[in-house]
Amino acid sequence: MTLPPRIPVTEDQIDRVVSRFYARVRVHPTLGPVFATHVEDWPVHEEKIARFWGNALLMQRSYDGNPMQIHKAAGNVEVDHFPVWLSLFDTVLSQELPAPLAQAWSALAHRIGRGLSYGLALQSAGNVPDLGSP
């Protein structure tokens, strides 16, 4: 059974937003160094993130990663990075999509960002056990 899209963007729009966003991330003074530590192959990373958004927006089943675990394991991702990330992402969305689509995608991105931020904050405070360890 195929579910209807959560937000009716196209795969091309997702690819374009992801590509333009990461072009900006690479040169951003705060985010660039964080990503550069972990991303060796930008096209592969962008394709993976496009699959993530395909799942989140179009209800596809093409991404099976765990963003919380990845961000926790990175070691250099901080709660303060999320507002910067979201602001940059919102700028790209507003430049690349019609306003209703940009606003809907932004709302979902902010909800995801809040969840990741919360999880990182709890971990850094020592309140969350590492469930990924045996």
Side-chain angles (χ1 to χ4, degrees), residues 17 21 53 84-94 105-106 109:
V17 165
F21 171 71
W53 285 117
V84 177
W85 183 97
L86 288 165
S87 176
L88 188 60
F89 197 67
D90 284 344
T91 298
V92 172
L93 288 173
S94 69
W105 189 345
S106 172

Side-chain angles (χ1 to χ4, degrees), residues 22-123:
Y22 282 112
R24 290 173 182 230
V25 163
R26 286 193 288 277
V27 298
H28 192 276
T30 301
L31 298 179
V34 173
F35 279 86
T37 302
H38 304 286
V39 179
E40 294 178 18
D41 188 333
W42 283 100
V44 168
H45 179 72
E46 289 176 20
E47 191 271 330
K48 177 178 164 181
I49 300 305
R51 285 194 324 267
F52 168 83
W53 285 117
N55 276 15
L57 302 169
L58 303 177
M59 310 304 281
Q60 296 173 339
R61 296 176 186 220
S62 57
Y63 176 83
D64 63 358
N66 184 327
M68 181 64 75
Q69 280 303 113
I70 290 166
H71 287 88
K72 283 181 177 182
N76 66 340
V77 176
E78 299 173 10
V79 171
D80 293 344
H81 293 149
F82 286 93
V84 177
W85 183 97
L86 288 165
S87 176
L88 188 60
F89 197 67
D90 284 344
T91 298
V92 172
L93 288 173
S94 69
Q95 292 172 346
E96 297 300 325
L97 298 174
L101 293 177
Q103 291 163 358
W105 189 345
S106 172
L108 179 59
H110 280 257
R111 193 167 73 226
I112 291 168
R114 279 191 303 274
L116 291 171
S117 247
Y118 182 72
L120 287 174
L122 287 176
Q123 180 189 27

